[in-house]
């Protein structure tokens, strides 16, 4: 069993660098399949991002959690594409320390996949109005509250990127940071684009009790979701390893120490 290290709390160490640029569903060690997938995802998310900021060119764009999530997923796909491109251009050996650009990608991965799904759930459960189908912005709402989660799920399902329970504080921290921001924004007299004294009506800090309940429920849901995603990644790895993956990039097995009794360390 791998011993715990403080470095495990951050995104700076992992035994197989190849886990960040190979797909779970390939034989061999070519980074090209994952590069193709990530180029497609990055193109989709960059298009949605540009669509969003050009459709609503407003200084209020960054106050919305939806747009925080959109930005995170876009950065996830772009940073993942950079990792795959560099893996194609130069050899990235297993066992080496993670390069800074891989750590950045891993951080965005931990945050973005969880935020995307939480944002999608919050929108369709609490905010969606069926009458919006007749409005001009419906398709953009669908893209920013639906396609974002689809992109995140494809990245989870296709990549080998690990999910560690120890990293749960990363998406949770961003979520709590947004909750704190919304409260400070309200206290400072901030409004939404329509002049309302809140960013989202369900997160109206004029009613701090109700707003706090929403924050608590969302935080608990995020913890549950991250745990589920961790389980999904474990199942993905076990299934793909047993059925498809080659093990050419696995670290060599370390034999027992001859000088320790019964081979035990």
């Amino acid at each position: 069993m791998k011993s715990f290290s403080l470095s495990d709390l951050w995104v700076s160490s992992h035994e197989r660098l190849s886990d960040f640029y190979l797909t779970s569903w390939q034989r061999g060690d070519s980074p090209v399949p994952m590069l193709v997938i990530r180029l497609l995802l990055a193109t989709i998310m960059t298009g949605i991002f540009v669509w969003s900021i050009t459709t609503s060119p407003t200084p209020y764009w960054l106050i919305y959690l939806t747009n925080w999530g959109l930005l995170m997923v876009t950065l996830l796909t772009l940073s993942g594409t950079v990792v795959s491109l560099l893996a194609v251009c130069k050899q990235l050996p297993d066992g080496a320390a993670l390069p800074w650009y891989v750590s950045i990608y891993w951080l965005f991965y931990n945050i973005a996949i969880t935020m995307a799904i939480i944002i999608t759930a919050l929108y369709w459960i609490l905010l969606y109005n069926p009458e919006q189908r007749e409005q001009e912005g419906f398709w953009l709402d669908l893209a920013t509250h639906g396609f974002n989660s689809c992109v995140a799920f494809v990245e989870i399902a296709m990549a080998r990127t690990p999910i560690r329970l120890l990293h749960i504080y990363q998406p949770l921290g961003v979520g709590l940071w947004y909750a704190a921001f919304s409260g400070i924004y309200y206290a400072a007299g901030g409004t939404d684009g329509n002049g309302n004294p809140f960013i989202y009506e369900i997160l109206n800090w004029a009613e701090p009790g109700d707003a706090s309940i929403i924050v608590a429920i969302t935080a608990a849901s995020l913890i549950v979701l991250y745990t589920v995603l961790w389980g999904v990644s474990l199942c993905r790895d076990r299934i793909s390893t047993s059925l498809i993956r080659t093990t050419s990039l696995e670290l060599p097995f370390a034999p027992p120490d001859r000088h320790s009794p019964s081979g035990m360390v």
Side-chain angles (χ1 to χ4, degrees), residues 84-138:
S84 292
L85 277 172
L86 291 175
V88 169
C89 296
K90 63 180 182 179
Q91 187 176 9
L92 301 177
D94 279 336
L98 293 186
W100 62 268
Y101 51 86
V102 175
S103 293
I104 289 176
Y105 157 73
W106 198 4
L107 178 63
F108 284 140
Y109 179 86
N110 291 334
I111 295 172
I113 60 172
T114 314
M115 282 189 65
I117 298 173
I118 282 289
I119 288 170
T120 296
L122 288 174
Y123 177 77
W124 293 104
I125 294 173
L126 298 178
L127 298 175
Y128 173 65
N129 181 357
E131 296 179 359
Q132 288 179 325
R133 289 190 178 185
E134 307 300 327
Q135 298 179 7
E136 183 179 351
F138 170 74

Side-chain angles (χ1 to χ4, degrees), residues 13 19 31-32 38 51 68 75 83 93 107 109 112 155 166-167 174 191-192 211 216-217 248 265:
S13 64
D19 282 349
V32 173
R38 284 175 171 164
W51 182 13
W68 283 34
L75 291 174
V83 172
L107 178 63
Y109 179 86
E155 181 74 19
L166 288 173
H167 292 165
V174 172
T191 65
D192 68 0
I217 292 174
S248 61
V265 178

Side-chain angles (χ1 to χ4, degrees), residues 19-122:
D19 282 349
F20 297 95
Y21 60 79
L22 297 181
T23 73
S24 285
W25 313 101
Q26 72 176 78
R27 295 185 183 276
D29 56 5
S30 171
V32 173
M34 198 65 223
L35 172 61
V36 173
I37 294 170
R38 284 175 171 164
L39 280 171
L40 177 61
L41 297 181
T43 300
I44 292 172
M45 288 310 305
T46 301
I48 294 175
F49 179 81
V50 172
W51 182 13
S52 176
I53 61 176
T54 55
T55 300
S56 304
T58 168
Y60 295 100
W61 192 88
L62 268 177
I63 70 172
Y64 295 102
L65 182 62
T66 293
N67 296 333
W68 283 34
L70 176 60
L71 179 60
M72 286 293 177
V73 177
T74 303
L75 291 174
L76 161 67
T77 58
L78 292 175
S79 60
T81 301
V82 169
V83 172
S84 292
L85 277 172
L86 291 175
V88 169
C89 296
K90 63 180 182 179
Q91 187 176 9
L92 301 177
D94 279 336
L98 293 186
W100 62 268
Y101 51 86
V102 175
S103 293
I104 289 176
Y105 157 73
W106 198 4
L107 178 63
F108 284 140
Y109 179 86
N110 291 334
I111 295 172
I113 60 172
T114 314
M115 282 189 65
I117 298 173
I118 282 289
I119 288 170
T120 296
L122 288 174

Side-chain angles (χ1 to χ4, degrees), residues 108-198:
F108 284 140
Y109 179 86
N110 291 334
I111 295 172
I113 60 172
T114 314
M115 282 189 65
I117 298 173
I118 282 289
I119 288 170
T120 296
L122 288 174
Y123 177 77
W124 293 104
I125 294 173
L126 298 178
L127 298 175
Y128 173 65
N129 181 357
E131 296 179 359
Q132 288 179 325
R133 289 190 178 185
E134 307 300 327
Q135 298 179 7
E136 183 179 351
F138 170 74
W139 293 109
L140 178 58
D141 283 341
L142 181 62
T144 55
H145 300 99
F147 291 171
N148 59 334
S149 290
C150 293
V151 168
F153 183 78
V154 170
E155 181 74 19
I156 296 170
M158 299 306 297
R160 296 186 186 182
T161 308
I163 296 178
R164 291 180 180 171
L165 281 179
L166 288 173
H167 292 165
I168 195 170
Y169 72 90
Q170 294 167 5
L172 182 60
V174 172
L176 294 177
W177 180 18
Y178 182 81
F181 161 75
S182 67
I184 295 170
Y185 188 78
Y186 164 77
T191 65
D192 68 0
N194 296 318
N196 296 309
F198 49 75

